[in-house]
Amino acid sequence: MSRPRTFAPPAGARAYALATARGEFAVIDSPAAAGAEPRGTALLLPGYTGSKEDFTFLHEALGARGYRTVAVDGRGQFESDGPPDDESAYAQEELARDVLAQAAAVGDGGPVHLLGHSLGGQIARAAVLIDHAPFCSLTLMSSGPAQISVPQQQRVKLLRDALAVLPMAEVWEAMQAMEAPEELTELDEGGLADQADLRRRWLGNKPAQLLAAGRQLCTEPDRVEELAAVPLPFHVLSGARDDTWPLPLLDDMALRLRAHRTVVDGAEHSPNTDRPAPTAAAIADFWDGADARRRTAGRRTRRP
């Protein structure tokens, strides 16, 4: 589970329900900083059991580089509504089409940079494979080529088994009892997040979304070859350690995609919360380069 340091939006950001052709989605919308040259808009998708707040400490740094960033709760995730019991509503294609609708709603008439963390990366990949036109780049953050590692599959199975027989509140208590002591100490000392906010986020998730997303993580096929055929710049970013998709898998995926590769020292599966400053710098550097290549290609296309 990701642990954002705060659930309060950053200065200047706005939390609201984004209206799209596929319904409303809770977002945190952070503008480019005053005085910064506007460089574009980015859509940020969180991972399994995460939320839009996972990106809170990226917004200001990316805004300072000229980027408007919109972090979104997916359907049935935290503050975005969804059916509690109908898993079909959370099929990967349905979630991918939600992303296309979100991109259309925030795009300001142009393509947006797309970033997905973990499960969010696989949903982002599915959206790009349906239609890449709304996007000018894709960043896969701690999101691998196929299903998650066997130890993580076992953890997800335990969670899905618990959700099948227990209410959400009791599953939360069971999860806390299984946490490593050092993680609970960090929470008690206020080092990472407020326990009440984490519990509130958990209870906001729809059980069907957690069940369907967990199944997707454990069965996702390798679609890297399909993605490599899409004419977009790619960025594979991760921490220096990842138990969900080991680094050799991410390194190989980056090679297969001919992608830019970033490894954030001192970070694990959530570099966006572990080391937000170097993570934001790497993301903005990649977006700057992608934009420069797009402008160059556009000038070449317009030549007589």
Side-chain angles (χ1 to χ4, degrees):
M1 180 189 299
S2 61
R3 292 182 172 84
R5 298 175 185 177
T6 178
F7 276 64
R14 187 163 64 101
Y16 65 95
L18 175 71
T20 80
R22 288 176 64 86
E24 293 187 342
F25 298 89
V27 301
I28 294 175
D29 189 337
S30 186
E37 178 187 355
R39 301 298 300 267
T41 296
L43 186 64
L44 313 179
L45 311 182
Y48 188 52
T49 75
S51 67
K52 59 192 179 301
E53 286 74 17
D54 294 345
F55 303 107
T56 292
F57 280 83
L58 298 183
H59 288 295
E60 289 190 73
L62 294 171
R65 297 284 293 268
Y67 292 99
R68 172 194 174 205
T69 46
V70 184
V72 58
D73 288 336
R75 185 191 304 196
Q77 192 175 41
F78 191 25
E79 294 180 323
S80 289
D81 199 12
D85 303 316
D86 179 12
E87 289 189 46
S88 67
Y90 305 104
Q92 188 184 76
E93 182 175 343
E94 293 297 316
L95 301 181
R97 293 192 180 280
D98 287 347
V99 173
L100 294 172
Q102 294 156 11
V106 305
D108 297 329
V112 302
H113 295 285
L114 182 60
L115 181 151
H117 173 235
S118 196
L119 173 71
Q122 296 196 332
I123 295 169
R125 177 173 74 177
V128 165
L129 288 173
I130 292 172
D131 184 6
H132 70 272
F135 308 108
C136 49
S137 76
L138 173 61
T139 296
L140 301 172
M141 177 188 289
S142 303
S143 185
Q147 74 273 10
I148 57 178
S149 66
V150 171
Q152 292 300 317
Q153 289 185 43
Q154 293 168 346
R155 288 176 64 110
V156 170
K157 183 180 185 303
L158 285 173
L159 176 57
R160 290 179 56 225
D161 289 347
L163 287 167
V165 297
L166 295 174
M168 290 287 286
E170 290 187 28
V171 175
W172 171 259
E173 296 304 325
M175 289 168 57
Q176 297 314 291
M178 295 173 61
E179 288 283 9
E182 63 271 16
E183 293 178 339
L184 293 176
T185 299
E186 287 175 328
L187 288 168
D188 290 342
E189 294 175 352
L192 293 178
D194 182 86
Q195 186 81 330
D197 280 330
L198 291 174
R199 184 178 187 275
R200 180 170 62 89
R201 177 173 71 175
W202 170 258
L203 293 178
N205 292 320
K206 298 297 185 287
Q209 187 270 341
L210 293 168
L211 289 166
R215 184 175 293 107
Q216 289 172 33
L217 285 168
C218 294
T219 60
E220 178 74 3
D222 188 322
R223 304 185 72 186
V224 175
E225 185 175 348
E226 291 177 72
L227 187 62
V230 174
L232 283 180
F234 302 118
H235 185 193
V236 175
L237 183 149
S238 72
R241 181 174 178 271
D242 197 313
D243 293 332
T244 305
W245 285 281
L247 258 63
L249 279 179
L250 299 174
D251 293 340
D252 179 68
M253 181 176 73
L255 288 173
R256 294 165 66 195
L257 290 173
R258 299 179 297 280
H260 183 70
R261 178 77 171 104
T262 297
V263 177
V264 180
D265 290 338
E268 298 190 16
H269 185 61
S270 297
N272 43 316
T273 57
D274 295 342
R275 299 285 316 282
T279 299
I283 292 167
D285 287 347
F286 168 70
W287 288 346
D288 286 353
D291 288 340
R293 290 193 295 274
R294 186 159 55 96
R295 288 193 295 270
T296 299
R299 287 195 294 270
R300 289 171 179 166
T301 300
R302 289 193 295 270
R303 287 177 181 172

